[in-house]
Structures are given as structure tokens and as C-alpha cells.
Amino acid sequence: MNPGDVAVGVLVGAHETKVRPSVVIASATYLAERPNVLVGILTTKFPRALSTTDYILLDWQAAGFRAESCFRAYVLTAHRSELNVIGHLDPSLFTPALSGTRFADAVVTAAPRALAGAAACIATRALALGLATDPAAFDANYVRRPDAELWWKGR
């Protein structure tokens, strides 16, 4: 199982427990170390008013869905044996969700997967100690930058 995988299983919802689709939102490091999986719900039943954590998939057909679908940040934990992978969502599907936010023009730099877990641990510690209050301000400066970036930023 990998981040972005679409899986179905018997999952608890706000009103009922039933077979429903979900997307794996756990990191690769988390998935390598644990038998359970963190998933967010995918649904065709849209809420009356979308919240800031709901996102309508614009390219749902390209993702292999049968109907227009919505990602809801209703996070669940399930054992991987209870889920069946049926597809994969390209992370770029969520890029339009950033339009109109302060992150719309942000440059996304993907860290190697091996560093993602370490970056998350350090960021969590910084937040807990009150050293940072905004995830967007988090700077992974403990990871050596390439020389080109060091020279560009003037060290």
C-alpha cells in the first residue's frame, strides 16, 4: 500500500458503517512501520456546503471513478488487511484545491521519501515547543541544500 492509493473497505462514517472508498493519506514511512493505514474518505454524496477541508476531484474520470467524487478530511485508521486497493490518485489532482489560498503560487519541493519522516518529526517537535506556529513557515534547513540553492539564497 502506498500514499495516494485508493482503497475500499468497511469503514465508519458520520452516519453509518459501510463499504466505502478512501484514499491513503499516510506517509510511506508510516506505512512501512505500521500495520494500520490512515485514510481519508472519498464520497459521491457532497455536503450541502463544502468546508475548507472538502475537495471535489476535478479529474475524477481520469482517476478511474464512476461518478464525480469528493475528498473529505474525515480521517480513519484501518488495518491494511481490511482494505483492497483499487487504484491510485495522482497528487496533482489536489493542486486546484490550493487556488485562492495563500499557497496557490507556492513552489512545491518534494523531499526524498527517506527524509519525509524525519522532517515531520522535527516539525512536530518545533510546533510542540512553540518555535513555529505556521506549517508554511517550516524550513527544513537541517537538510543540506544543493550548492545552487545556497548560492542563490546568498547562504
Side-chain angles (χ1 to χ4, degrees):
M1 208 163 276
N2 297 299
D5 280 349
V6 176
V8 293
V10 177
L11 299 171
V12 177
H15 301 290
E16 63 182 320
T17 299
K18 65 179 185 176
V19 175
R20 59 177 82 232
S22 60
V23 62
V24 176
I25 58 174
S27 69
T29 302
Y30 182 97
L31 293 169
E33 296 175 354
R34 293 194 166 84
N36 58 332
V37 180
L38 297 173
V39 296
I41 295 296
L42 295 169
T43 183
T44 57
K45 295 179 182 172
F46 295 11
R48 287 188 194 109
L50 291 177
S51 73
T52 57
T53 58
D54 295 333
Y55 176 65
I56 296 173
L57 298 177
L58 302 178
D59 218 358
W60 55 271
Q61 291 169 316
F65 295 135
R66 292 183 218 161
E68 188 175 26
S69 299
C70 178
F71 168 80
R72 307 228 44 212
Y74 190 93
V75 180
L76 301 168
T77 304
H79 193 276
R80 65 183 66 224
S81 66
E82 299 169 349
L83 299 170
N84 293 312
V85 175
I86 60 168
H88 188 81
L89 283 179
D90 182 346
S92 67
L93 287 173
F94 294 94
T95 303
L98 299 176
S99 74
T101 71
R102 65 188 173 130
F103 302 107
D105 296 323
V107 176
V108 177
T109 304
R113 288 186 178 190
L115 293 177
C121 288
I122 292 169
T124 302
R125 183 162 172 79
L127 288 169
L129 293 172
L131 301 174
T133 56
D134 184 356
F138 176 68
D139 185 20
N141 60 9
Y142 49 85
V143 177
R144 187 180 185 286
R145 291 182 167 87
D147 288 338
E149 185 177 354
L150 289 171
W151 289 112
W152 175 71
K153 288 190 173 186
R155 290 195 183 237

XYZ file of all heavy atoms in Angstrom, residues 18-76:
463
model
N -20.180 1.270 6.383
C -20.475 0.572 5.130
C -19.206 0.464 4.298
O -18.178 1.048 4.632
C -21.558 1.306 4.345
C -21.161 2.689 3.869
C -22.279 3.344 3.070
C -21.834 4.667 2.490
N -22.859 5.272 1.648
N -19.298 -0.276 3.202
C -18.184 -0.357 2.268
C -18.101 0.985 1.558
O -19.080 1.460 0.995
C -18.382 -1.500 1.246
C -17.276 -1.481 0.203
C -18.432 -2.838 1.960
N -16.929 1.614 1.634
C -16.759 2.926 1.015
C -15.334 3.082 0.517
O -14.429 2.443 1.023
C -17.135 4.043 1.976
C -16.362 4.088 3.251
C -16.752 5.279 4.138
N -17.939 5.013 4.914
C -19.011 5.806 4.951
N -19.048 6.908 4.278
N -20.048 5.501 5.684
N -15.161 3.947 -0.483
C -13.806 4.208 -0.984
C -13.086 5.227 -0.110
O -13.717 6.043 0.562
C -14.055 4.766 -2.386
C -15.389 5.414 -2.293
C -16.180 4.603 -1.292
N -11.771 5.162 -0.141
C -10.948 6.091 0.629
C -9.618 6.262 -0.100
O -9.303 5.512 -1.029
C -10.707 5.532 2.035
O -10.034 4.286 1.944
N -8.865 7.250 0.321
C -7.530 7.458 -0.243
C -6.530 7.403 0.912
O -6.775 7.929 1.994
C -7.428 8.791 -1.023
C -7.670 9.988 -0.134
C -6.083 8.912 -1.719
N -5.420 6.705 0.678
C -4.386 6.560 1.696
C -3.674 7.900 1.856
O -3.135 8.442 0.887
C -3.381 5.455 1.314
C -2.247 5.382 2.330
C -4.095 4.108 1.201
N -3.688 8.445 3.072
C -3.040 9.728 3.332
C -1.833 9.566 4.258
O -1.178 10.547 4.582
C -4.028 10.761 3.909
C -4.659 10.257 5.196
C -5.097 11.108 2.884
C -5.534 11.287 5.893
N -1.519 8.346 4.649
C -0.346 8.092 5.481
C 0.914 8.188 4.628
O 0.889 7.907 3.430
C -0.444 6.702 6.109
N 2.017 8.568 5.248
C 3.291 8.651 4.532
C 3.842 7.250 4.277
O 3.439 6.282 4.929
C 4.298 9.450 5.357
O 4.665 8.711 6.515
N 4.780 7.159 3.363
C 5.418 5.873 3.067
C 6.139 5.346 4.300
O 6.135 4.133 4.560
C 6.378 6.029 1.893
N 6.736 6.244 5.074
C 7.437 5.831 6.298
C 6.449 5.223 7.285
O 6.697 4.170 7.862
C 8.154 7.034 6.939
O 9.066 7.575 5.992
C 8.895 6.630 8.188
N 5.311 5.878 7.471
C 4.277 5.372 8.375
C 3.825 3.983 7.921
O 3.722 3.056 8.719
C 3.091 6.346 8.391
C 1.977 5.949 9.343
C 1.912 6.495 10.610
C 0.984 5.043 8.961
C 0.896 6.151 11.488
C -0.033 4.695 9.825
C -0.070 5.253 11.084
O -1.076 4.898 11.946
N 3.581 3.848 6.619
C 3.087 2.579 6.087
C 4.125 1.462 6.212
O 3.775 0.297 6.380
C 2.669 2.751 4.629
C 1.455 3.658 4.411
C 1.303 3.981 2.931
C 0.195 3.025 4.955
N 5.400 1.819 6.139
C 6.464 0.812 6.258
C 6.606 0.316 7.692
O 7.029 -0.817 7.921
C 7.783 1.396 5.776
N 6.237 1.147 8.656
C 6.462 0.811 10.056
C 5.240 0.289 10.797
O 5.366 -0.223 11.891
C 6.989 2.048 10.786
C 8.342 2.500 10.285
C 8.816 3.796 10.925
O 8.032 4.411 11.684
O 9.958 4.184 10.660
N 4.063 0.432 10.212
C 2.844 0.071 10.942
C 1.928 -0.821 10.101
O 1.890 -0.699 8.882
C 2.096 1.339 11.334
C 2.868 2.156 12.349
C 1.969 3.207 12.951
N 2.553 3.779 14.139
C 3.430 4.770 14.137
N 3.834 5.287 12.997
N 3.908 5.250 15.265
N 1.130 -1.649 10.761
C 0.194 -2.499 10.021
C -1.109 -1.782 9.667
O -1.878 -2.249 8.844
C -0.086 -3.650 10.993
C 0.083 -3.023 12.352
C 1.180 -1.997 12.193
N -1.339 -0.630 10.289
C -2.573 0.106 10.008
C -2.312 1.203 8.980
O -1.171 1.533 8.671
C -3.189 0.665 11.280
C -2.243 1.576 12.024
O -1.041 1.434 11.946
N -2.791 2.510 12.756
N -3.396 1.765 8.450
C -3.335 2.748 7.378
C -4.217 3.933 7.748
O -5.311 3.751 8.269
C -3.851 2.112 6.057
C -3.796 3.100 4.922
C -3.058 0.867 5.722
N -3.746 5.140 7.475
C -4.572 6.340 7.650
C -5.202 6.656 6.306
O -4.502 6.738 5.295
C -3.730 7.526 8.103
C -3.054 7.382 9.459
C -2.118 8.553 9.696
C -4.076 7.289 10.560
N -6.525 6.818 6.296
C -7.233 7.102 5.049
C -8.176 8.279 5.242
O -8.619 8.566 6.355
C -8.040 5.877 4.540
C -7.128 4.719 4.193
C -9.088 5.445 5.547
N -8.467 8.954 4.144
C -9.487 9.993 4.103
C -10.609 9.492 3.209
O -10.366 8.773 2.238
N -11.820 9.846 3.517
C -12.997 9.345 2.807
C -13.147 9.989 1.429
O -12.922 11.178 1.253
C -14.267 9.628 3.648
C -14.225 8.834 4.949
C -15.542 9.343 2.883
C -14.255 7.341 4.778
N -13.557 9.184 0.466
C -13.979 9.659 -0.849
C -15.471 9.371 -0.953
O -15.920 8.287 -0.587
C -13.228 8.924 -1.958
C -11.729 9.178 -2.015
C -11.060 8.202 -2.973
C -11.440 10.605 -2.434
N -16.235 10.331 -1.417
C -17.681 10.145 -1.472
C -18.287 10.796 -2.706
O -17.724 11.744 -3.250
C -18.363 10.710 -0.203
O -19.756 10.453 -0.256
C -18.121 12.203 -0.050
N -19.435 10.274 -3.127
C -20.201 10.901 -4.213
C -21.352 11.719 -3.639
O -22.043 12.403 -4.369
C -20.768 9.836 -5.175
O -21.571 8.922 -4.426
C -19.655 9.101 -5.891
N -21.537 11.628 -2.321
C -22.585 12.408 -1.646
C -21.950 13.670 -1.094
O -21.340 13.662 -0.034
C -23.222 11.582 -0.529
C -23.959 10.373 -1.039
C -24.542 9.566 0.092
C -25.237 8.342 -0.449
N -25.654 7.433 0.613
N -22.099 14.757 -1.823
C -21.468 16.005 -1.445
C -22.217 16.663 -0.297
O -23.447 16.602 -0.241
C -21.426 16.967 -2.624
C -20.561 16.505 -3.762
C -20.054 15.222 -3.822
C -20.254 17.367 -4.791
C -19.266 14.790 -4.865
C -19.462 16.956 -5.847
C -18.972 15.673 -5.890
N -21.499 17.315 0.606
C -22.173 18.053 1.670
C -22.903 19.258 1.076
O -22.553 19.734 -0.005
C -21.019 18.499 2.572
C -19.815 18.467 1.710
C -20.050 17.404 0.681
N -23.926 19.740 1.778
C -24.665 20.916 1.279
C -23.734 22.101 1.067
O -23.837 22.823 0.088
C -25.770 21.295 2.263
C -26.914 20.337 2.235
C -28.080 20.855 3.088
N -29.003 19.768 3.286
C -29.191 19.144 4.440
N -28.551 19.534 5.514
N -30.029 18.143 4.531
N -22.845 22.295 2.010
C -21.855 23.369 1.893
C -20.473 22.742 2.092
O -20.228 22.087 3.103
C -22.099 24.435 2.939
N -19.598 22.930 1.113
C -18.253 22.382 1.236
C -17.485 23.127 2.314
O -17.569 24.346 2.415
C -17.501 22.514 -0.085
C -17.977 21.650 -1.243
C -17.168 21.963 -2.492
C -17.873 20.172 -0.916
N -16.749 22.392 3.112
C -15.887 23.038 4.107
C -14.509 23.234 3.478
O -14.250 22.778 2.363
C -15.783 22.170 5.366
O -14.974 21.046 5.103
N -13.631 23.885 4.192
C -12.291 24.143 3.658
C -11.473 22.871 3.526
O -10.461 22.866 2.840
C -11.524 25.139 4.547
O -11.475 24.610 5.872
C -12.190 26.504 4.544
N -11.910 21.796 4.158
C -11.171 20.536 4.054
C -11.819 19.554 3.087
O -11.368 18.423 2.970
C -11.030 19.876 5.444
O -12.325 19.659 5.983
C -10.213 20.748 6.379
N -12.872 19.970 2.399
C -13.501 19.151 1.360
C -12.938 19.577 0.010
O -12.665 20.750 -0.201
C -15.015 19.348 1.331
C -15.697 18.860 2.593
O -15.160 17.949 3.243
O -16.763 19.403 2.924
N -12.783 18.603 -0.881
C -12.264 18.944 -2.205
C -12.927 18.075 -3.267
O -12.861 16.852 -3.205
C -10.741 18.768 -2.256
C -10.194 19.012 -3.626
C -10.268 20.282 -4.202
C -9.639 17.985 -4.358
C -9.789 20.508 -5.474
C -9.150 18.212 -5.629
C -9.223 19.469 -6.185
O -8.772 19.707 -7.439
N -13.580 18.716 -4.220
C -14.202 17.981 -5.333
C -13.108 17.641 -6.330
O -12.377 18.527 -6.796
C -15.302 18.820 -6.004
C -16.429 19.086 -5.002
C -15.844 18.106 -7.241
C -17.492 20.043 -5.497
N -12.983 16.366 -6.649
C -11.966 15.928 -7.611
C -12.389 16.375 -9.001
O -13.406 15.937 -9.516
C -11.805 14.407 -7.572
C -11.341 13.815 -6.244
C -11.305 12.302 -6.325
C -9.984 14.355 -5.874
N -11.606 17.248 -9.603
C -11.948 17.781 -10.916
C -11.729 16.754 -12.018
O -12.464 16.718 -12.991
C -11.123 19.043 -11.200
C -11.302 20.170 -10.183
C -10.400 21.341 -10.530
C -12.747 20.609 -10.117
N -10.710 15.928 -11.856
C -10.354 14.970 -12.894
C -10.734 13.551 -12.450
O -9.964 12.619 -12.597
C -8.849 15.068 -13.160
C -8.522 14.920 -14.626
O -9.449 14.702 -15.417
O -7.340 15.013 -14.962
N -11.944 13.419 -11.919
C -12.360 12.141 -11.337
C -12.408 11.022 -12.366
O -12.141 9.871 -12.057
C -13.688 12.283 -10.601
C -14.813 12.842 -11.417
C -15.130 14.162 -11.566
C -15.745 12.113 -12.205
N -16.212 14.299 -12.389
C -16.619 13.052 -12.805
C -15.955 10.762 -12.469
C -17.662 12.684 -13.647
C -16.994 10.400 -13.296
C -17.828 11.345 -13.878
N -12.728 11.339 -13.619
C -12.778 10.303 -14.652
C -11.388 9.757 -14.943
O -11.204 8.554 -15.083
C -13.431 10.835 -15.917
C -14.915 11.091 -15.726
C -15.534 11.861 -16.874
O -14.957 12.821 -17.350
N -16.722 11.452 -17.282
N -10.396 10.657 -15.009
C -9.017 10.229 -15.246
C -8.510 9.368 -14.095
O -7.647 8.513 -14.289
C -8.112 11.439 -15.440
N -9.056 9.594 -12.899
C -8.660 8.803 -11.738
C -9.356 7.444 -11.711
O -9.063 6.611 -10.865
C -8.980 9.569 -10.455
N -10.286 7.215 -12.654
C -10.952 5.919 -12.742
C -12.228 5.792 -11.943
O -12.733 4.686 -11.753
N -12.774 6.915 -11.468
C -14.024 6.848 -10.713
C -15.215 6.798 -11.648
O -15.175 7.317 -12.759
C -14.153 8.047 -9.767
C -13.104 8.072 -8.687
C -12.446 9.242 -8.378
C -12.762 6.937 -7.989
C -11.469 9.274 -7.387
C -11.794 6.946 -7.011
C -11.146 8.122 -6.715
N -16.301 6.206 -11.191
C -17.525 6.087 -11.996
C -18.393 7.331 -11.911
O -19.253 7.538 -12.748
C -18.339 4.886 -11.523
C -17.684 3.577 -11.824
C -18.563 2.435 -11.397
N -17.698 1.399 -10.859
C -18.073 0.438 -10.082
N -19.324 0.349 -9.722
N -17.233 -0.448 -9.657
N -18.198 8.133 -10.880
C -19.029 9.328 -10.687
C -18.183 10.433 -10.068
O -17.134 10.174 -9.477
C -20.209 8.997 -9.768
N -18.680 11.666 -10.198
C -17.991 12.804 -9.588
C -17.834 12.533 -8.094
O -18.775 12.105 -7.434
C -18.805 14.073 -9.825
C -18.093 15.327 -9.403
C -18.876 16.580 -9.750
O -20.117 16.511 -9.848
O -18.242 17.619 -9.894
N -16.638 12.771 -7.574
C -16.346 12.407 -6.196
C -15.712 13.558 -5.433
O -15.153 14.474 -6.016
C -15.405 11.207 -6.164
O -16.009 10.097 -6.784
N -15.811 13.454 -4.126
C -15.311 14.487 -3.233
C -14.419 13.834 -2.176
O -14.773 12.792 -1.617
C -16.502 15.175 -2.561
S -16.084 16.456 -1.359
N -13.256 14.447 -1.934
C -12.397 14.027 -0.830
C -12.853 14.776 0.402
O -13.048 15.980 0.373
C -10.930 14.367 -1.107
C -10.050 14.208 0.104
C -9.603 12.960 0.477
C -9.691 15.308 0.875
C -8.802 12.801 1.609
C -8.901 15.164 2.007
C -8.454 13.909 2.366
N -13.053 14.041 1.498
C -13.427 14.666 2.768
C -12.356 14.326 3.789
O -11.918 13.193 3.886
C -14.777 14.133 3.259
C -15.841 14.265 2.204
C -17.143 14.840 2.584
N -17.133 16.014 3.405
C -18.081 16.278 4.290
N -19.055 15.433 4.485
N -18.051 17.386 4.979
N -11.944 15.291 4.542
C -10.909 15.076 5.555
C -11.526 14.426 6.791
O -11.402 14.908 7.905
C -10.217 16.380 5.896
N -12.217 13.348 6.567
C -12.751 12.507 7.635
C -11.737 11.375 7.742
O -11.741 10.444 6.942
C -14.141 11.996 7.236
C -14.900 11.309 8.343
C -15.788 12.019 9.148
C -14.734 9.955 8.589
C -16.489 11.394 10.160
C -15.428 9.321 9.604
C -16.298 10.045 10.385
O -16.991 9.417 11.395
N -10.798 11.496 8.671
C -9.648 10.599 8.743
C -9.966 9.381 9.600
O -10.488 9.510 10.709
C -8.423 11.335 9.299
C -7.223 10.420 9.393
C -8.106 12.545 8.419
N -9.638 8.232 9.058
C -9.872 6.963 9.747
C -8.595 6.130 9.755
O -7.733 6.304 8.895
C -10.958 6.158 9.033
C -12.323 6.816 8.899
C -13.184 6.028 7.936
C -12.985 6.905 10.255
